[in-house]
Amino acid sequence: MPRLGLLLALLIASAPAFGQDRRSDEHSYAQPDKVRIRDLALDLAVDFEKRQLTGSATLGLEWVDPAQRDLVLDTRDLAIAAVEARNGKRKFREVPFVLAERDERFGSKLTITLPRQYEQVRIRYATSPQASGLQWLSPAMTAGGKTPFMFSQSQAIHARSWVPLQDTPSVRFTYTARIRTPATVMALMSADNDPAAVRDGDYTFSMPQAIPSYLMAIAAGDLVFKPISARAGVWAEPQTLDKAVKEFEDTEEMIQVTESLYGPYRWERYDLLILPPSFPFGGMENPRLSFITPTVIVGDKSLVSLIAHELAHSWSGNLVTNASWKDMWLNEGFTSYVENRIVEALYGKARADMEFVISRNGLLDQLKDLPPERQVLVLPMRGGSDPEDALGAVAYDKGAWFLQFLEQRYGREDFDAFLRAWFDAHAFQSADSDQFLAFLKSNLMAKRPGVVSEAEVMEWLSAPGVPAFAPQTASPRFDAVDAARASWLEQRAAARELDTAAWTTQEWVYFLEGLPEILDAERLVELDQAFRFTGTGNGELAQRWYPLTVRSGYFEARPAMSLFLRKIGRRKLVMPTYDALSKSEEGLAFATQVFAMARPGYHPITSASVEALLARARAAQKTPD
């Protein structure tokens, strides 16, 4: 290609394709184009009685704009005692600050006015007992029943509720920390946790790899460690530890599989922290220490794709991070794709296909209720919105589907090399959809022209729904489930006569999802007597069974349903049942009663979701609180 033509092609490939600045973050007050945090030093004390962290955060700054003098940070419900600044090792001097009025969604902008561009700013502060990113559990709410427990959940914009910082994924920083706790409590962070650490109430941490704020994490409780391999292991309460190690014993193999596909694991250790059942998510990919719900410990490894997912984030999300939450598909779509490749490598194509079918059925179901503008991978600017609105099946499952489309068109060998190159080229950086599109064009499409058209790519990225040319995944094992379900529904066989002995969680999930919206109570009794769904310890089944019982008026399930909702705080598992209950006046009353009992054990994120759902239902039914 002539030099001028090559330059023109490069300019076209790098030009913004989506008509706006993809790196700007409408969910943060920070001004990283003027000054950026490069390092953070925390010194915090954990007070379980006051449900509070107190201490200081020292920010190491890189000034981008020579004229800038203000440092603008994100906070939520922090009590700021003082702000100080210094250069080098000189004495800290107090500087003025203004904490703006609180915004319900984004917290309070903290503006620090500096006479010159200081290298360090130290903020002395305390968190609120209601901090949205922290949960405090009494001893009675833990597995051991003797030691309190505290843990963080910083994604998407909850880090600002326990540290004043630039709470945007476009800013990455290293950090160190000194954490003081009661002497009986072990503290951990998303940092260099020492498996042999002495429990003495005074802990230090270092995180040498730069991370965005949402990957900062802390936990404290009666936690002990057991290794899986030289670089992987499990932290958990003693009562949970052995079951977790057994369930997740394949973790080292997962790491090796992913390394063979996408390059070395760059975070040194990969440990799992098993949290109490109140943890609001399935997992959180905090670097070096993934936070994991105990609801996936079911005894047969059928739900360990969650571990594959959180591990995959060590490449997609943690290593290469979406620059803003409107490009969340760059984190979650890539990770869901890599997760499925890990599952296929370790557990076989049949299981991987079943999991793809379940996730895509869920996506297609969710699309029915989503407005078109939220069905696209590359979301428009979303000022004023909650960034967690993007945490749905579109980012995860449509994103993974798009990558599988590229894989099938180009073949695995070329596509794996492309993904590995993407991770290598953008390692420890934040990226946006424009960068991905430019990289795709220059590193895959230009090398094999005509395999995929730009129109096809743009339909995946910017059009609602799923393209008609999307690859389909079939599962012969699900064909057998369809036949068994039809046989029972058509009363050609009783439930106890169905050949279900070898079914896994995935087959049971598919069986339940294919049942009618409403069944006669006697038919539910038959199912329950045959398969004991009511009271199941498998949350994936419970979240599908209990809504069916609500819709069908199967009141016999109510006591076990109430116990499930009070015991489990994982949002994905409890919201479908609350939603089903909220559709009727009687169900709403029951849901309100159960939520009042469950709320003390829920994380603030789950409580807010349930509260909003019930409030909408009351407004629709015009019933009093």
Side-chain angles (χ1 to χ4, degrees):
M1 181 182 290
R3 183 175 178 82
L4 184 61
L6 176 62
L7 288 173
L8 181 60
L10 289 173
L11 284 171
I12 292 172
S14 62
F18 300 104
Q20 58 179 264
D21 180 5
R22 302 300 302 174
R23 301 189 70 81
S24 65
D25 188 350
E26 59 270 40
H27 301 116
S28 171
Y29 295 115
Q31 301 171 324
D33 58 327
K34 299 180 183 299
V35 56
R36 302 174 75 88
I37 298 171
R38 286 304 185 193
D39 181 70
L40 167 67
L42 292 173
D43 189 338
L44 298 173
V46 180
D47 189 327
F48 284 99
E49 289 189 8
K50 293 183 178 179
R51 299 162 61 96
Q52 194 172 57
L53 302 178
T54 57
S56 66
T58 303
L59 312 178
L61 302 175
E62 177 189 343
W63 294 89
V64 181
D65 183 348
Q68 182 69 11
R69 293 295 181 270
D70 289 348
L71 172 63
V72 178
L73 302 176
D74 296 300
T75 77
R76 180 185 288 133
D77 302 327
L78 298 181
I80 309 296
V83 180
E84 305 160 311
R86 74 175 182 183
N87 281 325
K89 297 296 183 182
R90 296 176 183 174
K91 183 180 179 180
F92 276 103
R93 299 183 179 278
E94 283 206 34
V95 292
F97 67 90
V98 175
L99 194 63
E101 186 176 343
R102 182 183 190 274
D103 179 88
E104 183 66 28
R105 182 159 286 161
F106 302 123
S108 302
K109 178 170 68 172
L110 174 62
T111 304
I112 301 167
T113 302
L114 302 167
R116 60 183 64 88
Q117 292 186 338
Y118 284 105
E119 295 171 2
Q120 289 184 315
V121 167
R122 181 169 67 189
I123 302 151
R124 301 184 185 276
Y125 70 100
T127 63
S128 163
Q130 288 77 44
S132 63
L134 300 175
Q135 183 169 21
W136 302 85
L137 300 176
S138 67
M141 302 161 98
T142 67
K146 295 180 180 179
T147 306
F149 203 111
M150 179 273 296
F151 64 89
S152 65
Q153 172 54 41
S154 295
Q155 192 180 26
I157 56 171
H158 299 287
R160 65 190 68 181
S161 74
W162 64 283
V163 182
L165 37 57
Q166 293 176 313
D167 196 10
T168 169
S170 67
V171 173
R172 303 178 74 102
F173 53 87
T174 57
Y175 79 85
T176 58
R178 181 185 182 190
I179 306 296
R180 280 158 289 180
T181 70
T184 58
V185 171
M186 174 61 71
L188 303 171
M189 295 194 76
S190 54
D192 61 340
N193 300 291
D194 180 4
V198 176
R199 188 182 302 202
D200 60 4
D202 194 341
Y203 308 96
T204 57
F205 302 93
S206 175
M207 184 57 177
Q209 291 97 354
I211 63 168
S213 56
Y214 76 93
L215 293 177
M216 272 203 6
I218 186 172
D222 182 14
L223 296 168
V224 291
F225 178 83
K226 196 167 186 177
I228 291 173
S229 69
R231 59 176 168 176
V234 175
W235 290 90
E237 292 184 81
Q239 297 77 9
T240 310
L241 185 63
D242 288 341
K243 288 190 295 184
V245 170
K246 179 62 178 173
E247 195 83 2
F248 306 138
E249 64 186 358
D250 298 337
T251 300
E252 173 61 33
E253 290 183 72
M254 290 183 178
I255 300 173
Q256 293 175 14
V257 163
T258 319
E259 286 183 317
S260 71
L261 291 170
Y262 307 118
Y265 179 78
R266 307 189 197 201
W267 304 89
E268 297 174 45
R269 289 199 61 82
Y270 183 72
D271 294 326
L272 308 172
L273 171 60
I274 313 305
L275 290 170
S278 59
F279 184 49
F281 299 116
M284 180 62 211
E285 62 271 18
N286 302 311
R288 297 175 177 241
L289 187 70
S290 284
F291 284 16
I292 303 297
T293 174
T295 62
V296 295
I297 303 174
V298 293
D300 62 1
K301 301 183 184 179
S302 62
L303 299 179
V304 297
S305 58
L306 177 81
I307 307 301
H309 184 93
E310 305 313 328
L311 170 65
H313 269 302
S314 301
W315 285 260
S316 49
N318 298 6
L319 187 65
V320 184
T321 305
N322 51 223
S324 74
W325 297 115
K326 55 186 173 287
D327 277 336
M328 188 179 286
W329 81 277
L330 290 175
N331 276 22
E332 298 299 351
F334 277 60
T335 295
S336 297
Y337 171 83
V338 173
E339 165 200 340
N340 196 263
R341 294 291 304 276
I342 297 170
V343 168
E344 179 180 329
L346 281 183
Y347 305 109
K349 189 173 187 302
R351 177 157 160 188
D353 287 347
M354 287 194 292
E355 295 192 354
F356 254 157
V357 170
I358 289 171
S359 67
R360 287 168 186 182
N361 286 348
L363 166 65
L364 296 173
D365 190 57
Q366 192 176 103
L367 289 177
K368 297 173 186 175
D369 300 319
L370 275 182
E373 64 272 14
R374 287 182 56 191
Q375 296 183 21
V376 299
L377 289 176
V378 181
L379 290 165
M381 187 74 77
R382 304 167 62 245
S385 67
D386 188 335
E388 289 176 17
D389 290 346
L391 268 172
V394 172
Y396 287 74
D397 302 319
K398 183 177 177 180
W401 208 340
F402 168 49
L403 296 184
Q404 191 197 42
F405 160 77
L406 294 175
E407 173 214 307
Q408 291 195 1
R409 287 289 185 93
Y410 288 103
R412 279 194 170 176
E413 183 176 353
D414 283 357
F415 189 66
D416 285 349
F418 165 79
L419 272 193
R420 184 167 183 160
W422 167 258
F423 295 140
D424 287 343
H426 301 87
F428 299 105
Q429 299 174 37
S430 298
D432 60 51
S433 290
D434 276 319
Q435 288 174 279
F436 171 77
L437 184 59
F439 196 83
L440 176 66
K441 288 179 179 178
S442 61
N443 289 273
L444 203 55
M445 296 173 71
K447 292 178 180 178
R448 294 184 58 188
V451 175
V452 170
S453 70
E454 186 170 343
E456 288 175 314
V457 170
M458 295 306 290
E459 183 169 350
W460 274 107
L461 296 177
S462 298
V466 176
F469 51 84
Q472 300 302 310
T473 300
S475 169
R477 286 169 64 172
F478 279 173
D479 292 341
V481 176
D482 284 331
R485 188 195 309 108
S487 179
W488 179 73
L489 287 172
E490 295 164 11
Q491 299 188 343
R492 290 183 279 112
R496 65 180 181 275
E497 296 171 341
L498 300 181
D499 184 12
T500 63
W503 283 11
T504 63
T505 293
Q506 288 73 26
E507 282 142 310
W508 284 114
V509 164
Y510 185 73
F511 176 82
L512 289 171
E513 287 187 342
L515 291 173
E517 282 285 298
I518 297 173
L519 283 170
D520 291 338
E522 59 268 23
R523 304 234 69 194
L524 288 178
V525 170
E526 182 188 352
L527 283 179
D528 217 1
Q529 288 177 343
F531 306 127
R532 301 186 182 278
F533 290 129
T534 299
T536 176
N538 188 320
E540 292 292 332
L541 305 187
Q543 69 148 320
R544 293 163 171 88
W545 172 251
Y546 289 131
L548 175 61
T549 68
V550 171
R551 294 190 299 268
S552 303
Y554 182 51
F555 290 95
E556 291 85 344
R558 288 291 176 89
M561 179 195 306
S562 173
L563 182 62
F564 172 73
L565 294 175
R566 286 180 282 131
K567 179 182 176 183
I568 303 299
R570 184 179 172 189
R571 188 167 61 173
K572 168 195 168 185
L573 299 186
V574 300
M575 291 305 292
T577 301
Y578 277 116
D579 184 54
L581 286 167
S582 72
K583 303 300 185 186
S584 71
E585 187 173 338
E586 176 277 328
L588 178 58
F590 179 75
T592 302
Q593 179 186 30
V594 171
F595 179 52
M597 293 185 285
R599 185 169 190 160
Y602 281 175
H603 189 280
I605 291 173
T606 300
S607 291
S609 296
V610 177
E611 193 169 32
L613 172 68
L614 298 183
R616 290 194 299 270
R618 290 190 197 101
Q621 297 179 22
K622 298 181 180 178
T623 59
D625 290 350

